[in-house]
Amino acid sequence: IVFSGYSERIPYLMKALAKKLKSITIEETHFEMVKDELKRTIENASLDASYRQLLYDLKYLSYKNAIHRSDYYDPATGIDFISAITLDELKAYVSKDLYRQIAIEGVSYGNLEAQTVKEALEAFPQALQATVLPPEERPKDEIIEIPQGASQAFVRTTKTNNNCFALEVQFGNVSPKLEAALRTGHAQIQTSFYNELRTKQQLGYIVFSGIRPAEDTAALLFLVQSSTNDPFDIAHRVETWVGETLKNLSTVSDSEFK
């Protein structure tokens, strides 16, 4: 939940919202419209840009607790948990179970008093009649770690005319030292990746590399979307670039590194 506006009114707005979160005032017709819109959004996802579909599936494959949208709504297989939800069920869940235990994390910036913001945050468990979830019980976005030296490959089909390939390389548990090393290394190679596959080989407009943000695992991601080359050809070109880049990194001089 994001609050923005005149600083002196934000704490009042936070407290006012806290009091309303336990009551659902939506009408039945509007509730059905929300469900229909959600289903259309999921159905249209198969027509989204290939790289967006790939990133969605990559997150699903990477995170231990991820649930794919096709697991709760997929017309092709007849899965539909959305239609069966009733407004009465939603209201009952919100009033009894949803806020039974909660944990709040937040950040504030601007012309705000720390104590005032703290009081506004503390209004949420009080208004919701909730107990605070202990830190050790709070869910984490845990990444599925690939064993050292191993690799995994997944292929997905899409209705779009573009192909996409992504390579994710894991480097182990996150630490400040590893983060610094990855960012330094990526600064050295990101221009090469873009220039080689986007400018020279002209595979497509979307050529991206970067640090993959995760809670406990450090990783680099390399992605290319192309309307002219199939994913297996893109994979071969990316892997060729990786091999050449590793050789080049081993010959970087001290002065260039500094």
Side-chain angles (χ1 to χ4, degrees), residues 177-188:
K177 185 176 180 180
L178 178 56
E179 183 80 5
L182 279 181
R183 292 191 178 277
T184 304
H186 181 251
Q188 175 73 18

Side-chain angles (χ1 to χ4, degrees), residues 101-121:
Q101 282 189 309
I102 64 171
I104 297 176
E105 291 185 1
V107 60
S108 62
Y109 60 92
N111 184 29
L112 294 161
E113 294 289 338
Q115 184 59 33
T116 306
V117 174
K118 185 173 182 291
E119 290 173 1
L121 280 174

Side-chain angles (χ1 to χ4, degrees), residues 6-247:
Y6 294 110
S7 56
E8 68 270 18
R9 303 307 300 169
I10 287 178
Y12 296 100
L13 178 59
M14 292 172 67
K15 291 178 181 179
L17 180 70
K19 295 176 181 178
K20 291 181 175 292
L21 284 177
K22 272 197 110 171
S23 60
I24 298 293
T25 56
I26 186 172
E27 296 295 329
E28 186 75 45
T29 53
H30 188 194
F31 180 67
E32 292 301 321
M33 288 172 59
V34 169
K35 292 200 296 182
D36 288 340
E37 183 178 353
L38 177 58
K39 288 190 282 189
R40 285 197 303 272
T41 300
I42 295 174
E43 290 169 10
N44 291 335
S46 62
L47 303 174
D48 207 347
S50 295
Y51 80 94
R52 293 183 185 275
Q53 295 187 52
L54 186 150
L55 290 174
Y56 180 89
D57 280 332
L58 180 60
K59 184 173 182 179
Y60 167 70
L61 293 166
S62 300
Y63 286 83
K64 291 182 180 179
N65 298 320
I67 296 175
H68 199 280
R69 54 194 167 214
S70 62
D71 291 335
Y72 58 87
Y73 184 71
D74 186 0
T77 59
I79 296 174
D80 181 5
F81 287 104
I82 297 175
S83 297
I85 299 170
T86 68
L87 184 54
D88 287 339
E89 285 177 329
L90 180 65
K91 288 181 177 180
Y93 180 67
V94 170
S95 63
K96 295 178 182 178
D97 297 320
L98 180 59
Y99 303 112
R100 190 172 64 250
Q101 282 189 309
I102 64 171
I104 297 176
E105 291 185 1
V107 60
S108 62
Y109 60 92
N111 184 29
L112 294 161
E113 294 289 338
Q115 184 59 33
T116 306
V117 174
K118 185 173 182 291
E119 290 173 1
L121 280 174
E122 290 172 346
F124 279 82
Q126 182 179 351
L128 297 172
Q129 298 176 321
T131 57
V132 177
L133 190 66
E136 64 274 11
E137 294 182 23
R138 297 174 190 178
K140 295 182 179 180
D141 287 334
E142 292 184 83
I143 291 282
I144 296 173
E145 294 184 9
I146 300 173
Q148 186 171 350
S151 62
Q152 296 180 353
F154 296 90
V155 178
R156 292 281 192 266
T157 57
T158 174
K159 296 179 181 179
T160 66
N161 294 324
N162 288 317
N163 301 304
C164 195
F165 170 80
L167 170 68
E168 181 181 85
V169 185
Q170 293 184 351
F171 291 87
N173 294 331
V174 171
S175 70
K177 185 176 180 180
L178 178 56
E179 183 80 5
L182 279 181
R183 292 191 178 277
T184 304
H186 181 251
Q188 175 73 18
I189 64 176
Q190 63 177 334
T191 302
S192 166
F193 183 71
Y194 184 87
N195 286 344
E196 177 61 32
L197 299 170
R198 166 76 167 81
T199 307
K200 292 182 181 178
Q201 299 190 28
Q202 297 185 343
L203 291 182
Y205 286 106
I206 298 176
V207 175
F208 167 81
S209 66
I211 307 291
R212 182 102 189 278
E215 189 159 320
D216 54 5
T217 303
L220 281 176
L221 180 69
F222 302 92
L223 182 148
V224 178
Q225 178 177 292
S226 175
S227 60
T228 57
N229 299 66
D230 68 53
F232 302 100
D233 180 56
I234 301 172
H236 173 71
R237 291 169 186 257
V238 171
E239 288 162 3
T240 300
W241 172 85
V242 169
E244 294 173 350
T245 301
L246 290 176
K247 291 178 184 176

